[in-house]
Amino acid sequence: MTMTPQKLVERLRSHSGRYIALHLRYEKDMLSFTGCTYGLTEAESEELRIMRENTNHWKVKKINSTEQRVGGFCPLTPKEVGIFLESLGYPPITTIYIASGEIYGGEARLSELKSRFPNIVSKEALATAKELEPFANHGSQTAALDYIISIESNVFVPSHSGNMARAVEGHRRFLGHRRTINPDRKGLVELFDKLESGELKLGSSFSHLVQEMHKNRQGAPRKRHGPLPGIKGRARLRTEESFYENPYPECICRSKTAV
């Protein structure tokens, strides 16, 4: 019998009922492309640099990792995602589906998330190797599994913006503004750095800062942001929020209740 995304969703639901779909873009190609090396070893950083140098269609070769991170352009690390979700009030028993490819650093790095949320689930845990065999070597089909499982989740959290994350958010808005929590990466980095320096400590005060920062970033209905004033041509289009990310109000013609 052919494996379908719906079957994986059913297995997730039967296991835990509700679940978060986490688009954890902590993958080798993403880290190399963005030049984000925070928390990595020198050898890992060099490996990513070489990959970027050898990828011809990536035009930017020299990237300041610190500037990228401070600017909010880096994907959150597994550890940072764990702190983030914990601060939002999600309990350790929360089931989290990992919608991504292979995490850079493997289980060792994923353990930094699992230490706070041990109920981590992947495609490989929900289906047998034989069931997933037709999807092997077909990246777009594997991504489609993650896409549908993310659409059907109770909460969707992208650790980095990207085409899939934006499409999932827009689709969930179309289906009734289902909860999508968009991390304010730039703001969070400031808080994480203060944690690391000892200026802040984990606890109720820190959680309050995170929750206040994200009270308006959870997929509630809002009109799509238009282009910035004073900009013309193609640059104008780039400053406008993507229709696929937020189809409201043009393609949401009636009131829908958020899930």
Side-chain angles (χ1 to χ4, degrees), residues 19-77:
Y19 68 94
I20 292 174
L22 172 62
H23 190 42
L24 187 58
R25 290 293 274 128
Y26 203 78
E27 298 151 320
K28 184 177 181 179
D29 62 338
M30 172 57 72
L31 295 175
S32 178
F33 176 73
T34 56
C36 296
T37 59
Y38 173 76
L40 301 182
T41 65
E42 288 188 16
E44 289 172 328
S45 300
E46 179 64 9
E47 180 182 38
L48 297 180
R49 186 195 65 78
I50 292 172
M51 181 181 183
R52 187 167 59 254
E53 287 288 342
N54 293 336
T55 305
N56 293 331
H57 60 276
W58 291 354
K59 302 305 180 185
V60 180
K61 302 299 182 181
K62 294 185 178 180
I63 301 175
N64 186 310
S65 178
T66 300
E67 288 180 0
Q68 283 288 92
R69 182 171 178 270
V70 170
F73 302 117
C74 289
L76 297 179
T77 70

Side-chain angles (χ1 to χ4, degrees), residues 57-175:
H57 60 276
W58 291 354
K59 302 305 180 185
V60 180
K61 302 299 182 181
K62 294 185 178 180
I63 301 175
N64 186 310
S65 178
T66 300
E67 288 180 0
Q68 283 288 92
R69 182 171 178 270
V70 170
F73 302 117
C74 289
L76 297 179
T77 70
K79 180 180 180 179
E80 289 170 341
V81 171
I83 295 172
F84 173 59
L85 293 176
E86 184 179 69
S87 299
L88 288 178
Y90 288 101
I93 61 170
T94 302
T95 296
I96 299 176
Y97 174 81
I98 302 295
S100 71
E102 183 177 353
I103 302 303
Y104 191 58
E107 277 298 315
R109 196 139 287 134
L110 195 57
S111 68
E112 296 174 340
L113 171 60
K114 284 185 174 180
S115 65
R116 288 181 165 82
F117 295 94
N119 292 333
I120 299 294
V121 182
S122 64
K123 292 179 288 293
E124 293 74 18
L126 292 173
T128 65
K130 186 175 182 179
E131 288 175 323
L132 292 175
E133 189 175 349
F135 300 93
N137 302 317
H138 297 284
S140 60
Q141 293 184 23
T142 303
L145 287 176
D146 286 336
Y147 181 92
I148 295 174
I149 294 171
S150 297
I151 293 295
E152 296 298 327
S153 65
N154 297 92
V155 181
F156 175 63
V157 180
S159 69
H160 189 266
S161 59
N163 291 334
M164 176 170 159
R166 287 192 286 267
V168 170
E169 179 178 358
H171 198 157
R172 289 174 65 83
R173 286 182 179 279
F174 180 77
L175 293 173

